[in-house]
Amino acid sequence: MANNLINKILDKAYSEKSLSRDEIIFLLSLNNVNEIAQIFELARKLKYRYFDNKVFLYGFVYFSTWCRNDCRFCYYRKSNTESQRYRKDLEEIVEASISLAESGVHLIDLTMGEDPYYQQTQNKLKYLVDLVRQVKKEVNLPIMISPGVVSNQVLHRLASAGADWYACYQETHNRLLFSELRLNQDYDERFFSKEYALRNGLLVEEGILTGVGESMADIADSIEGMRSLGAQQVRVMSFVPQKGSPMDSWQSPDRLRELKIISVLRLLFPDRLIPASLDIDGSQGLKARLNAGANVITSLIPSSSGLAGVAQSTKDIQEGYRTVQGILPILEDMSLEIATQNEYLGWIENERQKLSFHSIQKKGVQL
Ligand code: SAM
Ligand code: MD0
Ligand code: SF4
């Protein structure tokens, strides 16, 4: 009986018909390994339909770990006295970015805590904007910025300086849960900043955390939230408990939960980018995420840069496992290939054109 239902839902997904909230909850709730394997298999098929056996690689530069916020799940929340804080200067940031570019990544993700330093004076803000401009100039690669919520004006300036992507994860689309996780932050402000970015030509990454008290229905609602936003990249990360944070004694969720969500994301968004982050289980967790339908490897960090990860601040970094060289054997083993830079550029250019077409349509301009 269940199997008939699974086949019916998977047939729908195969022909790229949208799934209902109940169907999504049903898939996410499956526990039988054979049934879950069927979902993974279809997720891989859909991934191949759009991306063949190619993966994209994102370098990660967490250049300031200072933050004004107090997210309950985060190691870098302002009241955590145990986390290592640093703010890298321009030279170090450029150096790390060049090293990533030379190693073969397709994009540099410039990430920071919501560091109040850059908001102190116009000069400091200009430093932040110039930093993006300088990295872009030196590496000539697409840039993603992950600065948290910033004003529309700052977003514009970062985009003009060369940012192509804005990453900002809602974590959950359940407002109550959001308010419990992202303490004293405004749900709408966070969501609207992404809508604003999209309307102004930036590509957007949306994301959720799993294992933070959300229900299957919440995840289905988040998937709907991602669809309504129209993000080009969609992610899920398993919660990793952090020393010194209020959720330190929580359990990290069973990884099958994240893997199921990755595969359901692929079923719903076959042609979108879906990360397999090295920031949760390091390189050991890569294969399973790619097998569940992910096609972008994120959180590649130069080994001797002194730069940290987020959910896993140190795991696999010094050992060099979170580098392109470090993951090559895994890709080879899976018969996956690194896409060319032109393939990545072509993908994002195509998405940008769709964005400008939609925004012209919305403004009612005659073509
Ligand atoms: N500070 C900015 C912000 O919050 O948007 C940008 C970087 S933030 C450090 C990036 C993301 O890391 C968060 O949105 C969250 O999804 C993820 N993250 C933070 N702490 C985590 C944890 N303990 N486990 C898993 N993911 C975590
Ligand atoms: C990652 N550690 O890709 C990074 C980070 C921010 N845009 C990304 C969470 O997993
Ligand atoms: Fe700050 Fe981002 Fe961590 Fe929240 S998730 S405490 S905004 S660094």
Side-chain angles (χ1 to χ4, degrees), residues 8-205:
K8 198 181 120 222
I9 299 174
L10 295 188
D11 282 349
K12 257 174 102 174
Y14 182 76
S15 46
E16 300 191 28
K17 294 198 187 96
S18 184
L19 303 183
S20 70
R21 186 172 185 268
D22 283 347
E23 287 169 332
I24 294 172
I25 296 172
F26 173 80
L27 291 183
L28 292 172
S29 308
L30 291 175
N31 282 318
N32 176 302
V33 282
N34 295 327
E35 292 171 348
I36 295 170
Q38 276 182 273
I39 311 179
F40 290 173
E41 194 187 336
L42 177 59
R44 286 196 296 278
K45 249 187 218 158
L46 290 170
K47 173 171 74 165
Y48 272 72
R49 186 180 287 171
Y50 285 97
F51 300 99
D52 198 8
N53 67 337
K54 306 288 172 65
V55 291
F56 300 128
L57 309 178
Y58 286 10
F60 183 61
V61 180
Y62 195 8
F63 63 91
S64 171
T65 61
W66 291 95
C67 190
R68 64 175 174 181
N69 287 333
D70 237 346
C71 302
R72 292 186 74 230
F73 50 83
C74 184
Y75 184 52
Y76 302 98
R77 69 199 301 265
K78 105 178 140 204
S79 46
N80 192 359
T81 50
E82 290 190 36
S83 55
Q84 300 106 12
R85 309 281 174 184
Y86 62 74
R87 184 181 301 114
K88 300 289 183 193
D89 62 27
L90 179 65
E91 206 176 304
E92 292 170 291
I93 298 167
V94 167
E95 193 188 319
S97 303
I98 291 177
S99 143
L100 283 164
E102 285 174 351
S103 76
V105 302
H106 297 100
L107 169 145
I108 306 287
D109 177 2
L110 296 173
T111 294
M112 59 186 237
E114 291 196 8
D115 184 351
Y117 173 86
Y118 298 107
Q119 307 282 352
Q120 275 168 14
T121 63
Q122 279 304 319
N123 263 347
K124 286 176 176 147
L125 184 59
K126 185 171 176 301
Y127 187 83
L128 177 67
V129 174
D130 285 344
L131 186 159
V132 171
R133 185 173 294 114
Q134 199 60 26
V135 171
K136 181 82 174 194
K137 185 171 152 232
E138 297 282 347
V139 301
N140 197 23
L141 286 180
I143 304 281
M144 172 180 273
I145 44 158
S146 312
V149 174
V150 290
S151 71
N152 292 346
Q153 196 216 356
V154 170
L155 212 46
H156 265 293
R157 289 179 63 182
L158 294 169
S160 310
D164 300 274
W165 285 89
Y166 176 49
C168 183
Y169 316 139
Q170 206 70 19
E171 325 298 359
T172 175
H173 297 72
N174 173 329
R175 284 169 183 270
L176 179 63
L177 184 56
F178 178 96
S179 69
E180 288 165 3
L181 294 172
R182 287 196 159 267
L183 301 180
N184 301 315
Q185 295 172 54
D186 191 278
Y187 180 97
D188 289 316
E189 189 186 20
R190 197 167 175 87
F191 198 78
F192 293 159
S193 70
K194 291 173 266 200
E195 291 189 329
Y196 184 84
L198 283 170
R199 279 202 306 279
N200 288 279
L202 278 159
L203 304 175
V204 165
E205 181 181 20

Side-chain angles (χ1 to χ4, degrees), residues 159-340:
S160 310
D164 300 274
W165 285 89
Y166 176 49
C168 183
Y169 316 139
Q170 206 70 19
E171 325 298 359
T172 175
H173 297 72
N174 173 329
R175 284 169 183 270
L176 179 63
L177 184 56
F178 178 96
S179 69
E180 288 165 3
L181 294 172
R182 287 196 159 267
L183 301 180
N184 301 315
Q185 295 172 54
D186 191 278
Y187 180 97
D188 289 316
E189 189 186 20
R190 197 167 175 87
F191 198 78
F192 293 159
S193 70
K194 291 173 266 200
E195 291 189 329
Y196 184 84
L198 283 170
R199 279 202 306 279
N200 288 279
L202 278 159
L203 304 175
V204 165
E205 181 181 20
E206 172 65 305
I208 59 173
L209 274 179
T210 189
V212 286
E214 82 288 356
S215 65
M216 295 300 172
D218 289 333
I219 299 169
D221 292 340
S222 278
I223 292 176
E224 170 53 25
M226 290 171 168
R227 197 198 54 73
S228 78
L229 178 65
Q232 288 77 18
Q233 183 164 307
V234 286
R235 78 157 57 197
V236 54
M237 306 223 314
S238 295
F239 165 65
V240 179
Q242 301 296 328
K243 257 207 213 101
S245 79
M247 291 170 74
D248 184 15
S249 57
W250 281 50
Q251 288 276 327
S252 198
D254 186 299
R255 289 303 178 263
L256 209 46
R257 190 174 171 98
E258 179 186 328
L259 298 176
K260 277 193 281 183
I261 300 172
I262 290 178
S263 63
V264 171
L265 284 173
R266 178 59 69 201
L267 265 44
L268 272 295
F269 308 116
D271 65 345
R272 308 286 80 189
L273 304 184
I274 302 177
S277 176
L278 295 167
D279 200 29
I280 304 155
D281 299 316
S283 59
Q284 277 223 321
L286 184 57
K287 193 170 180 176
R289 287 174 174 83
L290 293 169
N291 265 331
N295 69 326
V296 184
I297 300 169
T298 69
S299 215
L300 290 155
I301 301 177
S303 55
S304 50
S305 58
L307 290 165
V310 179
Q312 293 284 2
S313 60
T314 55
K315 190 181 178 69
D316 279 3
I317 298 177
Q318 279 201 343
E319 296 84 349
Y321 298 143
R322 274 164 82 162
T323 60
V324 178
Q325 277 304 318
I327 58 158
L328 274 183
I330 302 168
L331 298 183
E332 270 167 32
D333 186 46
M334 298 181 73
S335 304
L336 292 174
E337 279 177 37
I338 299 173
T340 64

